[in-house]
Amino acid sequence: LVPNASPKPKVFVSRRIPEKGFALLASECDVLSWNHEDPPPRKDYLTAVRGIQGLFCLLTDTIDAELLNEAGPSLRVVSTMSVGYDHIDVQECHKRNIQIGYTPGILTSATAELTVTLLLATSRRIKEGVKAVENGEWGTWKPMWLCGQGLEGATVGIVGLGRIGLAVAKRLKPFDIAQILYCGRSEKPSQALEVGAVFTSFEDLLTRSDFVIACCALTPETHHLFNATAFKQMKQTAIFINSSRGGIVNQDDLYEALKSGKIRAAGLDVTTPEPLPTDSPLLKLDNCLVLPHIGSATQSTREAMAVLAARNLLAGLQGKPMPCQIK
Ligand code: DGY
């Protein structure tokens, strides 16, 4: 921990973050920062938040009643450098009149690009191909070797046509797909119109889609939404992609579905837990590609996220409207 005493509002930054965001905070606040790549151990986190007015946190930090109690009544703003906020107990914050900032919008393109990358890589069996080249299993050109599944003429099902779901749909349109289905809490007519997507039930989407892409937030309703029942409803040739949160998937059920051929393949940028232990059975499967939660990992996106999270924090501390606040 690197303390820096001054009369400015006291803020804790729970990790090393892009310089631009940090500089913004440092210009106006008394910043205490955990200047490391890895998160602080919980006990150090709890010590660091005592008496702060603002908290700059990441999606890996659990912001719950215990932590808020430890921070005490001085804490007025929690700002997360993420669009997802399932790691924050929103109700507990609101009970204490703590405002919460987040970073929607600016990471939409990067995350959509990565989602499409996962879809293409999984459908065209890139993991197996790279392995074969590296292991010397690449013999001659063979007519039936490593044949995957194309996107042309496919039905794509998007679970959650929010900002990222819509951006994924837009990026897939030029691949000459036949149809986009979507489901979610409510119909989104204007977004659907932009990409010609058709609203349907979760079950119908699972049954009809060649690609099922999870773009929904993790909530109590979506926790383990993708379980044995869901995988059973999908086509045997279906490919499942998840770039939102690992918690929406029952991973044991996914493993079983992939292993037994109930579905063809899966591409995951998010898992439970993160990092996924290297002995996870999912990693042994040729038809499962796992990435280390890098959806928003472009330099410009991460910098923009840090700056927006810093702006949210500063605005909240100054009693001004935050650029992006969770209501
Ligand atoms: C988020 O912001 O919630 C993503 O998961 C990481 O950028």
Side-chain angles (χ1 to χ4, degrees), residues 59 81-84 107 244-245 293 296 302 305:
L59 58 89
M81 188 182 139
S82 63
V83 65
L107 50 84
S244 65
R245 284 293 182 267
H293 203 149
S296 64
R302 288 288 167 82
M305 288 167 72

Side-chain angles (χ1 to χ4, degrees), residues 224-232 240 248-263 282 285:
H224 283 195
L225 178 66
F226 292 93
N227 54 21
T229 314
F231 294 125
K232 218 159 109 191
F240 171 67
I248 66 170
V249 179
N250 179 320
Q251 266 171 209
D252 293 339
D253 291 355
L254 174 62
Y255 174 77
E256 167 53 29
L258 289 167
K259 180 88 185 154
S260 64
K262 282 199 185 69
I263 65 170
L282 283 175
L285 297 174

